[in-house]
Amino acid sequence: MKKLVALALTSTLGLAAAQTQISIGLFEPLNEHVERVLPRFQEEHPDIEVEIRTLGFNDHHNALVTALATGSGAADVVAVEIGYIARFVAEGGLVDLSEEPFSADQYENLFVSYAWQQARTPDGRQIAMPTDIAPGVMYYRRDHLEAAGANVDEIISSWDSYLEYGRQVRELGDVYLIADAASVANAIIRSDIPEGEGIFFDAEGNPLLNSERFVQAATIAQQIRQEGLDAQIGAWSNEWYEAFRRGTVATELSGAWLGGHLQTWMAPDTAGLWGASEMPGGVLVSWGGSFYGIPTQSQNQEAAWELIKFLTTDPEIQLEAFRTINAFPAMPETYGDPMFEEPLDFLAGQPARVLFAEIAERIQGVATYPGDVVADEIFGSALTQILEEGRDVQGALDEAQRLVERRARR
């Protein structure tokens, strides 16, 4: 259900003479953070009045896609989750913030490099500013680790070691290595990318879906499936939540944000049973993140830019988001805050935020290509055939490569 929050701060903050009214479109729970910090923004900018528009995650992005396609209806500032960035690179609709009067490139060094690159196109356009990130990690059940007599450092030392741990936990009974083997493939294809290349395309725009990186990813995922090591449960399903509650998955590859979801609503009764580590095989990936952009249809772009700068370039504002909605900051400057060293009870006292920060600073930056959305969909279809139909990896990826090449020529 759509929720509009018009902040009536005019009388309390002396904004009766506000000259510019802008709106910001958010998905939950970003609205909780913005509502909390907005009074400070309006104290600093009494000539700008802000209306907050909030929708659920899917509704927000569906409405944004429509508004940008039709050229009307979008807020002056819009939140965009990383999964939609490539679509807006391909279809347009967001202002290039690297140009005047924004000159966003002056802020590049404030952020972890990979987050900045995610909203940057190969031709140098910056279509959004990062606000929070999600370094990829492996969550693991400590009780299964102990029962198998395993060591987490050995488990993550290679993909072979990770699969061997899967064989060990299967001997424990109704316990699987991971919910879905596809998660492994999607992690591997996003790591160890040569400089200048994207996830799906090289520097010249040629697709890479049958390259060694993709073959390795699909081969390992297929081996996990064929050996019966994954529970064949998709993310964001009731079965996924139940697997966490019952402890029928020993590990999960995800963004650091998963720990907060496990603690608050997915599996709160499992407190103390979880730990966090780097992903197996030295894989370093981003697994989520949020950005703010300005639609080209906005009539108040300079005022909108002031709000974006406030929300993204101030370390105190990012720390406030971390405190209130567990949005991991995109600014390394914040990582020295004592909050990062606090032991997390849900993770058996592990100061895991230090680990998350270390991973975030090591993830490589990769530009977003206009064809990424199509390539991702085609690879996903090929991976489904590989996992569910047992199709030959090389054959499936060669076909995926041809499909992407054909789409690129249109």
Side-chain angles (χ1 to χ4, degrees), residues 122-154:
D123 60 0
R125 290 178 293 125
Q126 190 71 29
I127 67 166
M129 294 280 283
T131 182
D132 61 69
I133 59 174
V137 300
M138 184 182 83
Y139 283 99
Y140 62 91
R141 286 280 296 230
R142 296 178 182 272
D143 49 345
H144 297 328
L145 190 73
E146 182 177 352
N151 177 281
V152 69
D153 291 333
E154 294 178 1

Side-chain angles (χ1 to χ4, degrees), residues 244-264:
F244 292 142
R245 296 182 190 118
R246 294 176 53 221
T248 54
V249 290
T251 72
E252 186 68 5
L253 307 185
S254 183
W257 46 261
L258 179 61
H261 290 318
L262 290 170
Q263 178 179 352
T264 56

Side-chain angles (χ1 to χ4, degrees), residues 33 37 40 110-111 131 309-323 327-337 339-340:
H33 165 60
V37 301
R40 175 177 155 185
L110 294 180
F111 304 97
T131 182
K309 287 192 296 181
F310 172 80
L311 292 172
T312 62
T313 65
D314 186 330
E316 286 303 316
I317 298 301
Q318 290 211 358
L319 283 171
E320 181 65 24
F322 195 25
R323 295 186 190 99
F328 201 87
M331 300 178 69
E333 182 181 346
T334 65
Y335 300 162
D337 189 274
M339 180 168 49
F340 282 81

Side-chain angles (χ1 to χ4, degrees), residues 228-243:
L229 302 183
D230 74 323
Q232 302 187 38
I233 294 173
W236 307 110
S237 64
N238 289 331
E239 293 79 9
W240 198 49
Y241 313 145
E242 190 62 21

Side-chain angles (χ1 to χ4, degrees), residues 131-209:
T131 182
D132 61 69
I133 59 174
V137 300
M138 184 182 83
Y139 283 99
Y140 62 91
R141 286 280 296 230
R142 296 178 182 272
D143 49 345
H144 297 328
L145 190 73
E146 182 177 352
N151 177 281
V152 69
D153 291 333
E154 294 178 1
I155 291 169
I156 65 173
S157 63
S158 68
W159 287 109
D160 287 340
S161 298
Y162 181 65
L163 266 65
E164 180 58 33
Y165 178 58
R167 301 179 189 108
Q168 293 173 345
V169 297
R170 288 299 289 129
E171 295 178 0
L172 300 177
D174 187 23
V175 181
Y176 294 88
L177 174 63
I178 193 169
D180 188 357
S183 299
V184 171
N186 282 310
I188 293 173
I189 66 169
R190 288 167 169 79
S191 184
D192 295 324
I193 298 172
E195 186 174 356
E197 292 187 356
I199 297 172
F200 300 99
F201 298 90
D202 66 17
E204 285 72 44
N206 302 305
L208 298 165
L209 275 72

